[in-house]
Amino acid sequence: MHYKLYIDSVFILQMAANLYLLSLAGQVLRRTATRRRIWLGAATGAVMSCVCLALPVCTVGIRLLLGALPVSMCMLCLTYRIYGLRRLFFASLSMAAIGFFFGGVMIWFLNRLRMIMKGSGGLFLTLALGALAYLALEIILRKLMKRSMDQLRTVRFYIPALGQEIIVKALVDTGNHLEDPISGVPVSLISRKIARCMESGFTPDKYHVIPYRSVGKKNGILSGFELPFMAIEEDGRILKREHVIIAVCDAGISEDSEYQMILHPGLLEN
């Protein structure tokens, strides 16, 4: 039995699927990339998949299976700059799992639109169903990620002047977009009570002025300070951040609150 494949159609389908999978993988892996890098990674993966199909060895299924891991690793490396064989391997497994659910959602839509799939238009219908599957999975992922963000984290600060660590509970706030106006470094918030424990480690040369806006206050200024090191405990791993900036603010952090810090979500990105 012989099949006729049109390489341009294969390339378009692979390109679209790679765009969806890379975007979803970025949310799961908490990685960010420019649109240009996402398109570059998707196009590279599509070209590599077409090359695998054209190789005159084994069957088409075996060629695609053997090429799946190298293709996904190259895409992730180009798009999210993930280096190291081990990291790339686990990131590829994550994207494979996303692809499994993505394909399942597409099949679900296909089964319900079987009556429409008559005659021509197969390529465009597949692309449209892929877009629907992507939107459905993105909504689910956002809800799951938001729930994950709402969990408290343990944050450890090292204060050289004190020669000790200070441990606080932090809540991730996806609405926190505070940044240092000069360096663009993410700014997290701590309560005044915790700030008093650290104030001997705050030096004038590490002082930052952080402008902000909030509900009921059009313009305001927060006192920010740079600390040399911060460790965030999350999902059994430790994220280490250097030269972090924290600002003193009591808004949203009460004395009876479970947490003493509002963490910038950008600090959780790899």
Side-chain angles (χ1 to χ4, degrees):
M1 184 179 293
H2 297 278
Y3 296 94
K4 183 181 289 186
L5 295 175
Y6 295 94
I7 200 68
D8 54 344
S9 298
V10 173
F11 178 82
I12 292 171
L13 288 172
Q14 284 292 332
M15 181 79 172
N18 291 342
L19 285 171
Y20 297 144
L21 292 178
L22 283 172
S23 180
L24 294 171
Q27 296 181 46
V28 172
L29 299 172
R30 290 176 180 163
R31 297 266 182 168
T32 57
T34 62
R35 290 182 180 179
R36 183 178 179 181
R37 290 216 314 268
I38 293 176
W39 278 90
L40 175 62
T44 302
V47 170
M48 292 179 68
S49 296
C50 290
V51 171
C52 289
L53 282 173
L55 292 175
V57 292
C58 303
T59 62
V60 172
I62 292 176
R63 278 178 255 164
L64 290 176
L65 184 62
L66 293 177
L69 186 60
V71 169
S72 62
M73 291 174 77
C74 286
M75 287 195 298
L76 289 165
C77 183
L78 285 172
T79 305
Y80 296 113
R81 296 177 181 173
I82 302 175
Y83 304 111
L85 189 60
R86 185 176 179 181
R87 288 184 178 181
L88 278 171
F89 178 74
F90 285 107
S92 297
L93 288 182
S94 299
M95 194 161 76
I98 295 169
F100 175 79
F101 288 106
F102 180 80
V105 175
M106 278 196 67
I107 292 173
W108 187 87
F109 281 122
L110 281 170
N111 289 335
R112 278 147 186 80
L113 296 174
R114 194 176 296 276
M115 297 301 296
I116 303 176
M117 298 178 61
K118 291 182 179 180
S120 59
L123 174 62
F124 296 104
L125 181 60
T126 303
L127 292 174
L129 291 176
L132 285 174
Y134 168 76
L135 291 173
L137 284 177
E138 187 182 37
I139 292 171
I140 295 171
L141 278 176
R142 282 185 177 179
K143 289 184 178 181
L144 292 175
M145 298 299 284
K146 187 179 185 304
R147 184 177 298 178
S148 175
M149 287 289 190
D150 291 338
Q151 296 176 357
L152 295 179
R153 270 77 170 178
T154 298
V155 176
R156 299 174 183 269
F157 294 103
Y158 176 69
I159 312 297
L162 301 176
Q164 65 180 19
E165 279 188 338
I166 293 179
I167 302 174
V168 300
K169 289 293 183 181
L171 179 72
V172 180
D173 182 7
T174 54
N176 177 16
H177 302 295
L178 277 179
E179 292 182 346
D180 179 69
I182 298 176
S183 63
V185 173
V187 177
S188 299
L189 303 173
I190 60 171
S191 67
R192 199 167 298 277
K193 180 178 179 181
I194 295 298
R196 284 195 291 268
C197 300
M198 299 182 176
E199 60 185 0
S200 59
F202 296 155
T203 57
D205 60 314
K206 299 296 184 181
Y207 179 78
H208 293 256
V209 175
I210 311 297
Y212 77 99
R213 286 184 295 176
S214 63
V215 178
K217 192 163 187 176
K218 189 175 181 180
N219 293 301
I221 296 294
L222 294 175
S223 296
F225 298 91
E226 183 180 323
L227 296 177
F229 176 80
M230 179 173 74
I232 307 168
E233 297 180 10
E234 185 201 25
D235 298 333
R237 59 175 180 164
I238 297 179
L239 302 176
K240 297 180 180 179
R241 300 289 180 258
E242 296 181 348
H243 305 294
V244 295
I245 298 177
I246 57 174
V248 182
C249 179
D250 289 326
I253 309 177
S254 66
E255 291 290 331
D256 301 326
S257 193
E258 288 185 70
Y259 56 92
Q260 303 85 39
M261 179 180 183
I262 296 177
L263 198 64
H264 194 292
L267 294 172
L268 298 180
E269 297 175 359
N270 290 322

